[in-house]
Amino acid sequence: MTRDNQTCSQEIRSLLHSKNQPLILAHIRPDGDAVASVLGMGLALQADGKKAQLVFPEGIPSKFKFLKGSDTVHTQIEPGYDLVIALDCSDQKRMGAEFADLNVDINIDHHITNENFGHQNLVLPEEPATSAILAQYLPQWGFPITPDMAETLLTGILTDTIGFRTSNVSANTLHLAANLIENGANLTELYEKALISQTFSASQLWGFSLSRLEKKGRIAWTSITLADRKQAGYPGRDDADLTNILSAIEEIDVSILFNEQNNCKIKVSWRSNANINVSVIAQRFGGGGHPPAAGAEITGGLEEVQNMVLEFTDSFLKEIQSKGENDYGK
Amino acid sequence: MTRDNQTCSQEIRSLLHSKNQPLILAHIRPDGDAVASVLGMGLALQADGKKAQLVFPEGIPSKFKFLKGSDTVHTQIEPGYDLVIALDCSDQKRMGAEFADLNVDINIDHHITNENFGHQNLVLPEEPATSAILAQYLPQWGFPITPDMAETLLTGILTDTIGFRTSNVSANTLHLAANLIENGANLTELYEKALISQTFSASQLWGFSLSRLEKKGRIAWTSITLADRKQAGYPGRDDADLTNILSAIEEIDVSILFNEQNNCKIKVSWRSNANINVSVIAQRFGGGGHPPAAGAEITGGLEEVQNMVLEFTDSFLKEIQSKGENDYGK
């Protein structure tokens, strides 16, 4: 820990102990780590006798409603708070438009892009989850980990690392997770609830889509059509985690998922597992993203967009090959 | 650790140090833990200057050939060994028919059904993998964990726990895995190589099979047909991990996979995620297994077997329901 982080941590400790009505927020479209961080911090402060206010404007995704404290969450801020804590937010806009003018006292996050918008900013980009930061610091700040907190924080770590799978998982992360188990969290149960379970219709959607899986050279692709969603009764417009399945295929360098939307648009997702910067391809179609994972939304029919994208991706890969390199654009 | 295990551990330690040409074996159709245990133990003894002989009659599955030491594996026993070590084998028959008469000195395993067929039997059924036992004991026996051993043993733990997911993963397992990372193993890389990556044809097979996914009441089922395998070019006769996908479906109590074989037989796999003892159902068809996961091989056509099994499973669940219990037969 740097000296700055040490000073910041001490300031946060004293703020947490001197204030009694903290307001705790995370980001819009909350994921497991956002939910877990807010609930974990809330449970810690509530156990210490404070009147903590936990706010998610959109509520909590039903998947995470099993977590303790989720029934105390509000969708609007009530007056009377004396401390504002933002968790897992890289910038203040991401907290939600209605919170853009809030005076943020404490900002705790693990995103490298964090804009340090709080008075105290504990930003640790080497950590795989904000929940992992809280699991380390809360006890240091005088808030011991209860079984409910352990369950919540382990859920945040599990979801943000997809079951300890991402490249930012360290030995320390596993020691931390082990400590949370020792503090009362049931790993198997949380794994099942937060990561494994899948609806019948999602499984069927996978089937419809994967049965049309195609491959040409080092590119594999498939689509999710409006008809697939209808036939499977799948409610969302998302990719049902199919990109994870595609990116796990061994013999290919780039996978592409074409996801048909209602509005004559096709959401296209590229994944690379061979050091190919697919965000360059996505940018060509008005999209963006990261080197191994990028996307774009393209107007047109499924077949038309598919042909266009496959042709461009193919020529992009051939260009790289002709240059004798495979990390073009990185 | 019991006193028996302590004595046994001391005996094993002295055997490992007094002998110089150990023969190390595991079970037929070796999985990740069998491979990892043998390679891990072999690397430890080789690093100590011993001439260790590592034997897998069928060789090592290609998926695990990236592990150090896998190129030193033999498919036959050569004379001249002075110590026989069986790893991850519940009974001696499982070592392979040709090894049924071997005099086994050391038997190290984590299966609760282990028959204690060795002179020294270190059987720890609470451990999630034989690799986890070795990761704990090898250093105690005077064989420090090298980076190659760490990589191998972490692969065994990862595969046998499906990424720390199974119910026998404890806080200690995560601490152990963390230690292996500290000793040089790259978790992300091993996760990808040993657990995530999947062939194109397996992904396509998933598609063909899942596109026919059906549900009736609390039972979901699908099949893998000979035609699916042919169309996908899938080489194995196994279930391509589809049972894992089926058992993750939220709204159901029992999932069934019908896996058509060449010889007019159907391999049937039941999974339960609701405390229903499906091994009772499998026994009815001449099979067996564990309460949450069981199987049987049934002679007949796909449709015929499917109808028969679905009818029986359905009436079995109705019987449980009428009794107002859901752990019948446990």
Side-chain angles (χ1 to χ4, degrees), chain B residues 16-17 22 46-47 52 93 119 126 143 146 197 202 204 217 228 249 277 315-316 319:
Chain B
L16 291 177
H17 284 284
Q46 282 162 356
K93 212 174 125 202
H119 291 289
E126 69 278 13
F143 305 96
T146 63
S197 76
Q204 222 174 22
D228 290 339
I249 299 175
N277 185 350
S315 63
F316 181 87
E319 190 185 319

Side-chain angles (χ1 to χ4, degrees), chain B residues 102-139:
Chain B
L102 267 183
N103 202 338
V104 175
D105 299 291
I106 300 175
N107 163 24
I108 303 176
D109 186 27
H110 74 119
H111 293 100
I112 198 163
T113 51
N114 193 288
E115 293 179 356
N116 296 308
F117 55 88
H119 291 289
Q120 296 298 331
N121 303 289
L122 185 65
V123 178
L124 305 175
E126 69 278 13
E127 290 296 334
T130 301
S131 299
I133 301 176
L134 295 180
Q136 283 169 83
Y137 280 82
L138 284 172

